[in-house]
Amino acid sequence: MEVAVMKNKQNLSYDDENLSFRNKLKVFRAMHELTQEQLAEKIGVSRQTVNAIEADKYLPSLGLAFKIAKLFKVKIEEVFVCRGGTDES
């Protein structure tokens, strides 16, 4: 019985080694005809931060990700996509 419980716990573990994150920030920014500078001003960050997010070199905080999604009036999953792990999407 204990072995089955341990196996179930392993199935629920979080494995971030196989996760990859992508975003469509540049697409949404272009659709709204915003420059990186304009977007940065609207969400309260630097232009360099917007550039780094678009280049997948920086993962925004959850709060910033929600702020971006709210600005574009879309769900957060439409802008930011996570792939990999045990739940391959």
Side-chain angles (χ1 to χ4, degrees):
M1 189 81 160
E2 270 184 70
V3 174
V5 171
M6 288 299 288
K7 187 174 181 181
N8 284 341
K9 285 185 180 179
Q10 287 177 338
N11 290 340
L12 297 175
S13 69
Y14 179 74
D15 178 14
D16 64 352
E17 289 181 21
N18 297 318
L19 294 180
S20 68
F21 297 91
R22 297 282 181 236
N23 71 75
K24 298 178 185 174
L25 184 57
K26 189 173 186 176
V27 172
F28 279 97
R29 183 173 58 78
M31 287 171 40
H32 289 81
E33 299 179 347
L34 294 171
T35 65
Q36 287 183 343
E37 188 70 40
Q38 291 167 329
L39 175 59
E41 189 174 304
K42 288 181 181 289
I43 60 175
V45 299
S46 69
R47 183 200 58 77
Q48 290 84 354
T49 298
V50 171
N51 182 278
I53 293 170
E54 287 183 355
D56 291 321
K57 293 181 179 180
Y58 173 75
L59 287 175
S61 68
L62 188 57
L64 181 55
F66 272 108
K67 190 184 276 191
I68 291 166
K70 184 176 180 181
L71 175 71
F72 294 130
K73 297 182 173 116
V74 297
K75 294 179 180 178
I76 195 169
E77 302 89 44
E78 293 181 53
V79 182
F80 299 95
V81 179
C82 173
R83 297 188 182 268
T86 57
D87 229 9
E88 187 70 32
S89 301

